[in-house]
Amino acid sequence: MTDPKLYFEAHVFACTNRRPDGHKRGSCAERGSEKLREYMKARSKELGLEPRIRINSAGCLDRCELGPTLVIYPEGVWYTIHSPADIDEILQTHLVEGRRVERLMLQPDQKELRSEQRG
């Protein structure tokens, strides 16, 4: 049996997990992920990406120190995001053009943000 056709061409999961203020790991919501996700959803509609692209909130993606974070499937590419400009760049470059935003990409073994990734 073969896998069914993808329901969405891409599925974006944006962490909007919130921990109590002062938690040692922090949280993506504490760093503004909820507003960034709402911006991303609205902007994707403006660009005509929906309904082929789906943007969802996610609970903890367990990369709190690198947040706010999002992951795009089916590729499994992770990004750190800090501004609407970061969102615009990811939407255009990754989801429209099929390329990667290397300066915002997170590597599997990455434990802290590089200087160019800080918001």
Side-chain angles (χ1 to χ4, degrees):
M1 178 177 214
T2 60
D3 289 344
K5 181 179 175 189
L6 295 175
Y7 189 74
F8 297 110
E9 288 178 28
H11 212 139
V12 180
F13 294 96
C15 181
T16 56
N17 187 57
R18 181 173 297 280
R19 286 200 174 93
D21 290 344
H23 190 281
K24 66 181 180 177
R25 292 188 72 194
S27 68
C28 290
E30 181 180 44
R31 295 183 185 109
S33 67
E34 294 161 320
K35 287 183 181 180
L36 290 169
R37 183 226 168 251
E38 288 305 314
Y39 176 82
M40 184 177 1
K41 190 151 181 73
R43 188 73 181 114
S44 71
K45 286 180 183 178
E46 290 172 7
L47 293 171
L49 296 176
E50 291 189 14
R52 62 185 186 85
I53 306 295
R54 179 74 177 171
I55 297 176
N56 281 96
S57 291
C60 185
L61 294 174
D62 201 30
R63 300 194 83 182
C64 312
E65 295 80 6
L66 304 172
T69 61
L70 64 83
V71 60
I72 301 175
Y73 289 107
E75 300 95 331
V77 174
W78 289 74
Y79 290 105
T80 185
I81 52 173
H82 301 282
S83 69
D86 290 346
I87 298 293
D88 288 340
E89 190 173 1
I90 290 167
L91 290 174
Q92 181 62 41
T93 304
H94 190 118
L95 295 171
V96 172
E97 299 172 12
R99 297 182 298 118
R100 305 295 180 259
V101 182
E102 292 193 25
R103 71 179 185 84
L104 298 174
M105 283 177 62
L106 297 172
Q107 299 304 314
D109 60 347
Q110 190 172 343
K111 302 292 184 208
E112 60 185 47
L113 293 176
R114 299 183 305 269
S115 61
E116 70 271 15
Q117 292 178 315
R118 298 183 196 282

